[in-house]
Amino acid sequence: MDLSDPDSVRKCIREIQPGLIVNAAAYTAVDKAEAEPDLAMMVNGTPPHHGGRGEAAGCRHRALLHRLRVRRQQSHALRRGRCDHPINVYGRSKLAGEEAIQAVGAPHLILRTSWVYGARGKNFLLTILRLARERDELKIVDDQFGAPTWSRTIAETTAQMLAQRRSAAALAEVSGVYHLTAVVAPPGMASPKPSWRIRRCS
């Protein structure tokens, strides 16, 4: 299935007719998205919409998204319920994907997370570990505030949420947007015991 090809996504859903869709895929090249806005929007903003339309076409599925959001740069954590203020093409494409799912009206969970890291792939943690081995001194930008979140935490939490809401009716009761991130202390404060939280914001 090619996420840059809506027909490919639609065809796959219609053939499989899944009972559940967990969409953890995304266009994640934040800077490159400025030069590829159409591709970023196609991958992040369009496939979830076509997946949702499958519900109306008879595919028995519920849509769930994992989303990494880029918001207005600021020095403090965002509060629940804050308005969306995408600061770039990448952020706008993510928001478009959320709005597409919500517009369909099918039972769904949208999990907003941040700075995802894991043992594989490309992520900030692995980059820093590699640079620490290669260099005696590291210079890192300090104009961003985020909560690094382990990919395993996201996967396990997703599984737990779905296990508790096995039917479409049960999922419909909690449909909405949630923030799922690690707990990180604001600048200048001591870091709390490593933990994570999931909070509903809509």
Side-chain angles (χ1 to χ4, degrees):
M1 181 173 67
D2 183 356
L3 292 180
S4 66
D5 180 1
D7 290 336
S8 170
V9 177
R10 188 184 303 109
K11 180 176 182 292
C12 181
I13 292 176
R14 287 178 175 172
E15 289 179 350
I16 298 175
Q17 295 193 3
L20 170 70
I21 294 177
V22 178
N23 180 9
Y27 179 107
T28 59
V30 177
D31 296 330
K32 192 176 181 180
E34 299 298 319
E36 298 180 337
D38 292 340
L39 180 59
M41 186 61 69
M42 182 68 70
V43 174
N44 292 340
T46 303
H49 186 58
H50 284 282
R53 284 190 179 277
E55 181 87 14
C59 293
R60 302 178 303 277
H61 77 275
R62 303 180 295 276
L64 181 145
L65 291 79
H66 284 166
R67 287 311 197 193
L68 171 64
R69 300 298 309 283
V70 172
R71 297 264 190 87
R72 188 172 47 188
Q73 290 183 344
Q74 50 196 39
S75 60
H76 56 80
L78 287 171
R79 296 183 178 89
R80 287 177 292 169
R82 287 290 297 272
C83 296
D84 298 290
H85 297 286
I87 62 174
N88 50 27
V89 169
Y90 174 75
R92 288 191 289 274
S93 71
K94 292 293 189 175
L95 181 58
E98 292 186 4
E99 292 176 339
I101 280 292
Q102 292 170 320
V104 171
H108 63 274
L109 298 173
I110 295 174
L111 304 184
R112 292 176 174 177
T113 187
S114 66
W115 292 20
V116 180
Y117 68 90
R120 296 181 294 275
K122 295 181 179 180
N123 58 72
F124 184 75
L125 174 63
L126 294 185
T127 298
I128 293 301
L129 290 175
R130 175 178 57 81
L131 293 177
R133 292 191 297 267
E134 299 172 353
R135 303 178 184 180
D136 295 328
E137 180 180 351
L138 300 181
K139 295 181 179 180
I140 305 171
V141 298
D142 61 355
D143 61 345
Q144 298 181 31
F145 180 83
T149 305
W150 191 18
S151 58
R152 181 170 178 175
T153 295
I154 300 173
E156 292 181 347
T157 303
T158 299
Q160 291 176 17
M161 293 179 72
L162 294 176
Q164 294 173 7
R165 301 284 175 172
R166 293 181 179 276
S167 68
L171 186 61
E173 294 177 354
V174 295
S175 284
V177 180
Y178 294 81
H179 287 181
L180 169 58
T181 66
V183 177
V184 177
M189 294 182 62
S191 296
K193 181 180 179 180
S195 182
W196 57 271
R197 293 177 181 172
I198 180 165
R199 292 179 172 178
R200 187 169 188 170
C201 59
S202 72

